[in-house]
Amino acid sequence: MLKLYGFPVSNYYNKVKVVLYEKGVPFEESESIPCQDEPLLQCSPLGKVPYLQTEQGFLAESQVICDYLEVTHPTPALFSSDPWRQAKERELLTMLELHLELVVREVYGQAFFGGTASEGTRSRTEKLLRRNIVAFKRLAKFAPFVAGDTFTMADIAAGIHLPILGMATQAVYGEDFLQAADIDWKAYTKRLAERESFQRVRAEQKAYQQAKKAG
């Protein structure tokens, strides 16, 4: 059986879990926190989570894991079979993770963990995010899904990352940059929350957080 390593507060861990639930793939979970200890580096070369244990060995990087699951468990498909449509879905994925999530991650410490980002970091992050959100808006359809009329892998990434971006910018800058750009991520993610996969991931995340507080 597949074993997924990570922890339920990680957005990328949760992205992989949504894929597993959407596909109905049985798996086990094992808590793992990012670090540079050699045993973890043998499984995930950068010491990051999530990583996946398979019969053949370990896989790191969330989208690599998701692509592996798409090939090994092709039903239900989470990418379009049409090459152009799939390319556009992957374009959205790249925009979401490379140009939005990776950028706003610079201020997560201040937004969520009691830290303080430098003025230079806040300024640089704001400039990039405002530009990149406009670019994302040019690609996103929300009709009703982010790439069009079909639920795809791009929706899993969007459903996981957009709420964090909105909350982080509200916390750090006093303004939700997505809503300021007329991207109604709350209505969109409310629709996604009707899916069992998202419901399970959110419930498990909440239970994990409550257990950590109680402990």
Side-chain angles (χ1 to χ4, degrees):
M1 182 180 291
L2 298 173
K3 182 178 286 189
L4 182 65
Y5 292 80
F7 60 106
V9 176
S10 162
N11 47 338
Y12 288 98
Y13 181 78
N14 289 333
K15 183 182 85 166
V16 175
K17 282 182 70 174
V18 172
V19 171
L20 287 161
Y21 287 147
E22 284 286 335
K23 290 184 172 293
V25 179
F27 69 101
E28 298 175 351
E29 294 182 73
S30 182
E31 185 173 4
S32 180
I33 304 299
C35 70
Q36 294 298 300
D37 293 345
E38 186 59 31
L40 191 148
L41 295 176
Q42 291 294 324
C43 306
S44 176
L46 287 173
K48 300 192 304 180
V49 297
Y51 55 97
L52 183 73
Q53 185 176 6
T54 75
E55 291 182 356
Q56 292 79 28
F58 289 92
L59 279 178
E61 299 297 334
S62 69
Q63 195 53 49
V64 172
I65 296 170
C66 291
D67 289 341
Y68 169 78
L69 294 170
E70 180 73 1
V71 172
T72 56
H73 300 82
T75 305
L78 292 175
F79 281 113
S80 297
S81 58
D82 177 78
W84 174 252
R85 290 187 64 178
Q86 182 175 145
K88 295 301 287 185
E89 292 155 13
R90 291 187 179 278
E91 185 180 34
L92 277 163
L93 268 170
T94 300
M95 183 65 69
L96 281 159
E97 299 198 333
L98 183 62
H99 300 296
L100 294 184
E101 199 282 337
L102 189 62
V103 175
V104 74
R105 182 169 285 268
E106 292 293 313
V107 295
Y108 280 179
Q110 179 169 332
F112 303 123
F113 303 112
T116 302
S118 69
E119 180 59 36
T121 296
R122 292 195 301 272
S123 177
R124 180 175 64 255
T125 300
E126 178 178 6
K127 181 179 179 180
L128 286 172
L129 280 177
R130 290 194 186 276
R131 183 196 69 181
N132 295 355
I133 287 170
V134 171
F136 169 71
K137 189 178 178 182
R138 292 180 186 275
L139 294 175
K141 297 183 182 298
F142 297 111
F145 300 108
V146 70
D149 60 0
T150 304
F151 178 84
T152 69
M153 190 78 72
D155 289 290
I156 296 176
I160 294 294
H161 299 315
L162 292 182
I164 297 174
L165 192 157
M167 291 186 289
T169 53
Q170 182 67 54
V172 174
Y173 302 98
E175 181 182 37
D176 181 332
F177 289 179
L178 290 170
Q179 290 190 325
D182 294 322
I183 296 175
D184 190 357
W185 64 266
K186 292 183 179 180
Y188 167 70
T189 54
K190 185 178 180 180
R191 289 195 296 273
L192 293 184
E194 296 173 1
R195 304 182 73 88
E196 182 183 357
S197 59
F198 277 91
Q199 291 172 10
R200 291 180 69 177
V201 165
R202 295 305 184 197
E204 289 160 7
Q205 181 183 47
K206 184 177 180 180
Y208 177 86
Q209 291 171 320
Q210 290 175 340
K212 288 297 182 182
K213 287 180 181 179

